[in-house]
Each structure stands twice: as C-alpha cells, then as structure tokens.
Amino acid sequence: MRDITIARNYAETLAALAGHNDALEQWGERIDITAAALSTPSIEAVLMSPRVPRDRKIALVTEALRDYPRPFSLFVAAVIRRGRTMLLGMIADEYHALVDVTMNRVRAGVTVARDIDALARQVIVERLSKSIGKNVIAGFTTDPALLGGVVVRIGDRIYDGSVR
C-alpha cells in the first residue's frame, strides 16, 4: 500500500474516535502537536532505534500523552506498534482534510502584493466563503512581484486576480 493510503486509513480511524468524543477540532490540534513532537531528532532517534524495544517506545509515548484522552493515546500507540511512526505527519494532514469535509470548509492560500490589515483579510475570507459556498480558512502570504490584486489557491485550483 502507498503511504498516503495508509495515512488516510489511520486518519479515518482517528476521525471516528474523535467524533465519538465530540472533539474533532481538539484532536486535530493534538495530532499536530504529537506528530511534531515525535519528529524531533532526539525523539525520532529513540523511536526508530532497533535497540529500543517496541514496548518501551509505546510506554514512553503513552506516558508523554498521559494528559490526553485515553483513546487518543491508544491510537498513537497503535501507530507506533505497527511501525508507522513516520507517517504521523501525513496522518495529521489527512485527518485535517477529513475534518474539513465534515465541517464544510476549505483551506485557501491567499497571496497579496503587500501586507494587509485584519479587516481586509476578513473581507477576503467572507467573499471567498460566499462565492465558494463553504467556510474558508485562509493563510495569507505576500509576494512583492505582484503589483496588486490577489491570487487564491484552493486545492489544485488557482484564481489569479493579480497584476504583475
């Protein structure tokens, strides 16, 4: 199986667990934090080392996640047990995609010529939401090569209303 397919399967399981606990948003934050923490070089070295028994790896991670809900920590333990630790970042991305579909929202990259204030950002997001028919979560960047206007990227579509 390809890694993306495996990650999607794990993300679906995590979404189902989060749904049962009415915590889709919170678990999204938790999987992001967990994936970032477990990919730091020192922790990754321990988790990937053949010298550290798998049960010890699981015990270490479970102890680190003791403040998280038990189903979440058991999920992460299952990922480690099956040797899929390196897929946690991809699982997090797939999880967010599933939650976005569930919550009728879309993520957009918005590129502008110069920094804009919060009100302008809000107006752009509102107009995008209205035209697309979904809630838009926008990430803003600036590109000095633009003279004016906006470039919006949603998935694989680009809406270019810029002047170069």
Side-chain angles (χ1 to χ4, degrees):
M1 270 187 165
R2 291 184 29 211
D3 288 346
I4 192 75
T5 305
I6 295 168
R8 167 75 56 158
N9 289 337
Y10 278 100
E12 289 172 352
T13 301
L14 184 61
L17 289 170
H20 290 306
N21 289 283
D22 293 324
L24 287 174
E25 292 292 331
Q26 295 87 351
W27 284 32
E29 294 171 14
R30 289 182 176 136
I31 193 67
D32 286 340
I33 292 167
T34 303
L38 297 184
S39 67
T40 58
S42 57
I43 296 173
E44 187 177 310
V46 171
L47 293 176
M48 304 291 20
S49 174
R51 292 182 180 179
V52 179
R54 191 165 282 171
D55 290 337
R56 181 67 182 139
K57 295 174 188 177
I58 292 168
L60 288 169
V61 171
T62 303
E63 176 61 24
L65 299 176
R66 70 182 173 276
D67 293 335
Y68 284 1
R70 183 158 169 75
F72 182 86
S73 60
L74 290 174
F75 171 82
V76 175
V79 171
I80 294 168
R81 184 174 297 109
R82 290 176 178 83
R84 308 286 191 194
T85 308
M86 299 307 297
L87 294 179
L88 273 172
M90 200 179 297
I91 292 169
D93 292 342
E94 291 298 314
Y95 177 84
H96 289 298
L98 289 170
V99 171
D100 286 346
V101 169
T102 302
M103 301 186 86
N104 193 34
R105 65 184 181 201
V106 65
R107 296 179 187 270
V110 180
T111 305
V112 293
R114 56 182 161 61
D115 286 331
I116 56 176
D117 62 8
L119 180 60
R121 289 175 188 238
Q122 181 181 353
V123 169
I124 290 171
V125 168
E126 287 173 0
R127 289 187 182 168
L128 283 172
S129 295
K130 186 177 179 183
S131 66
I132 293 171
K134 294 184 178 190
N135 294 326
V136 173
I137 299 172
F140 287 85
T141 58
T142 58
D143 182 359
L146 298 179
L147 296 175
V150 177
V151 177
V152 178
R153 174 183 219 103
I154 300 174
D156 60 352
R157 290 189 172 208
I158 298 175
Y159 303 95
D160 191 345
S162 67
V163 178
R164 293 185 186 266

